[in-house]
Amino acid sequence: MKRSLLQTSAALWMALSLLHITACSPTAIKPSLANLPDNAAALKAGTALLGHAVTEAELPKSDLYGLTPELKTFAERATATATSPLDKALALHKALITPQSQGGRGFQFSADTTELPAVTFARRQANCLSFSLLYVALARHLQLEAFINQVDIPPNWSMSGDTSMFFVVHINAMVKFPSESRGLGAVDYVVVDLALNKYRPSYPQRALSPELIEAQFYSNRGTEALANNQFELAFLNLRKAIAADSQQSYVWNNLAIVYKRAGLLAEAEQAYLKGLSYNHTDLTIMNNLAFLYEELNAPEKARYFSAQVKEYRNSNPYFEYSQALTKFGEGDASSALTHIQRAIAKESDVSRFYQLASTIHKTLNEPRNAQLMQQKYEKLAARGL
């Protein structure tokens, strides 16, 4: 049986949802959801799952930037010869990623676990969020102005036929420092990333608030516990995420899946709908609701949410962009060109669309078109688009 999967945020996958789309009419009638009660307080209490209302003392408590003496010493030694904030930022990054055989810490990318800095440092493996937390903690110890940065990587849809959907959000660290070339008072930034191949300066990005960082950290921890069928631990971490920032739809989606896996389908429905109230275009929630309503024998609602997913996906230029990336990766440049042209037709001011189009034209031995696309890319990129 196909099943709805959860949204892991901030490290690798903002959402991973296995679609179960029924054959549906494109004119599906919107079901009546207005009379459903808002049971957010009961969902957060967790009585149906735990057998009692959760208390503050039960929620996990961690210092996301806590450092041991060993880590502080590591940072100080790694940057002992650095003479400027930029030099310190680069030296610290180099010390973390340089292979152990060459005197570095030898960090490797691993999607498996979201951990606190001390554990991440000991493991020498990290996902994007764990590495960024470690780096920022070390950088701040060195009096650098470092922060967690969210990068909106282009979403990938339908990577295996029409059955799976991925939304990718990437996290890295950034360090702000006085400009050495643009005059007094000007500042520059350096990007620090364990997976720099995922990053492009033109991607939309923003510094995250402490509350949202905490929400993403504990949401990740919750999904990891759920993957091991630890329902209570998953609930406690997701409840902590909601306490940090209750308006993130992906956290409510993940909470819904905890309830669903525990057989509490009414609670799952309420949690999905609560998340949708914060983000009415969350395709993962709509997708998961469509599957849930099939289980609840509510075909009208299932058809409606399935149709919403298809309609929104097909109108979104990033769907075509992701299809172009997939086809190009498979060696089908002609099909990739068709998809990227559709993306550009839907949204003409996205630099990355033209960058990919230029690459595709080069592969097809069409230098003139490749040059035209490259020129459009450079003009848009210069404007930050």
Side-chain angles (χ1 to χ4, degrees), residues 1-4 18 20 260 291 295:
M1 177 182 290
K2 297 177 182 177
R3 55 194 177 94
S4 303
L18 190 57
H20 187 97
K260 184 174 182 293
F291 184 59
E295 288 193 54

Side-chain angles (χ1 to χ4, degrees), residues 19-26 28 31 162 165 283 285-294 299-314:
L19 293 180
H20 187 97
I21 296 182
T22 57
C24 58
S25 164
D162 205 24
M165 180 182 298
L283 297 188
I285 291 181
M286 288 190 282
N287 184 59
N288 290 346
L289 271 170
F291 184 59
L292 177 66
Y293 284 130
E294 284 190 350
E300 178 187 356
K301 294 178 181 179
R303 283 194 297 269
Y304 171 76
F305 283 107
S306 291
Q308 289 292 101
V309 170
K310 282 191 173 181
E311 180 180 353
Y312 186 79
R313 182 199 67 182
N314 291 336

Side-chain angles (χ1 to χ4, degrees), residues 49-50 222 225-238 257-263:
L49 183 70
L50 304 178
L226 183 56
N228 293 319
N229 293 318
Q230 298 172 294
F231 295 154
E232 182 172 337
L233 182 60
F235 173 84
L236 293 175
N237 277 281
L238 291 167
I257 295 171
V258 173
Y259 279 118
K260 184 174 182 293
R261 297 270 182 91

